[in-house]
Amino acid sequence: DIVMTQSPDSLAVSLGERATINCKSSQSILYSSNNNNYLAWFQHKPGQPPKLLIYWASSRESGVPDRFSGSGSATDFTLTISSLQAEDVAVYFCQQYYTNPITFGQGTRLEIK
Amino acid sequence: QVQLVESGGGAVQPGQSLRLSCAASGFTFTNYGMHWVRQAPDKGLEWVAVISYDGSIKNYADSVKGRFTVSRDNSKNTLYLQMNNLGPEDTAVYYCAKLPSMKTMTSWFDYWGQGTLVTVSS
């Protein structure tokens, strides 16, 4: 199975500042034939369903604010929130869909400093 | 809008069974494969099972193979997870999740339910 490891486990950032969350896969999730990275990012707030933010590592889901962006390739990926808003407090997790079984990062808890 | 609503969770003893349901609305249920994903207390997410849009293809995590059965009733827009011989390791919040396309069964999930809690304890 592909192991997804996020860092840090928790993060406190001031309002308006940049937040950066990392996700590392135990093997490459870049499919060379289409040059796509098979990685998604989700936001999960208590009492709510997880929400899709990013797919194909850098494609923003419709309706997601443009302060959220994804980057990276092969084994190392980053979710960046360019200017943290109060409503961004949540757990963020990555998911690989390169191969079965689908696997997830352990989650990063983002708080306001 | 798309809604996925899980139900059927609860507290059971080891060895017992439970059936979870996921009622779907806001999209053409018959066109999309569906997954079950779970999260144990203070643990990360674990994929559990997938079923194709027509129910003809099913896959399971090794941890539940032989004990859990995924099914769907497209006439009722409902996904199911039959869980037998439950153990404490199955204690988790169980989520159903929708695939974004009928063309694949391995993909990101564009919608999730809120989850239903299953507790297995003596």
Side-chain angles (χ1 to χ4, degrees), chain B residues 3-56:
Chain B
Q3 271 202 310
L4 299 171
V5 180
E6 301 94 338
S7 61
V12 296
Q13 295 184 332
Q16 292 188 326
S17 300
L18 212 53
R19 188 177 83 156
L20 306 182
S21 299
C22 170
S25 61
F27 66 101
T28 305
F29 183 67
T30 56
N31 285 354
Y32 297 91
M34 298 289 295
H35 287 249
W36 286 100
V37 176
R38 67 184 180 182
Q39 185 167 29
D42 298 321
K43 295 286 180 67
L45 290 156
E46 178 189 19
W47 172 77
V48 173
V50 59
I51 186 168
S52 60
Y53 67 98
D54 61 355
S56 62

Side-chain angles (χ1 to χ4, degrees), chain A residues 38 40 42 44 47-52 54-56 61 93 95-106, chain B residues 4 35 37-39 43-47 50 59 61-62 95 99-100 105-115:
Chain A
Y38 284 55
F42 297 87
H44 194 189
Q48 297 185 19
K51 176 185 176 183
L52 174 67
I54 303 285
Y55 56 94
W56 295 132
E61 173 72 340
F93 60 91
Q95 175 217 343
Q96 69 79 20
Y97 48 96
Y98 181 83
T99 188
N100 290 317
I102 288 168
T103 52
F104 301 88
Q106 79 276 17
Chain B
L4 299 171
H35 287 249
V37 176
R38 67 184 180 182
Q39 185 167 29
K43 295 286 180 67
L45 290 156
E46 178 189 19
W47 172 77
V50 59
N59 274 321
D62 288 343
Y95 299 94
L99 287 164
M105 288 172 59
T106 303
S107 180
W108 66 89
F109 306 128
D110 58 352
Y111 290 95
W112 300 59
Q114 289 191 310

Side-chain angles (χ1 to χ4, degrees), chain A residues 5-30:
Chain A
T5 304
Q6 289 181 230
S7 62
D9 288 334
S10 63
L11 179 64
V13 174
S14 301
L15 289 173
E17 296 299 305
R18 179 185 301 261
T20 301
I21 298 169
N22 302 300
C23 176
K24 188 175 183 67
S25 57
S26 60
Q27 66 184 74
S28 176
I29 54 175
L30 170 63

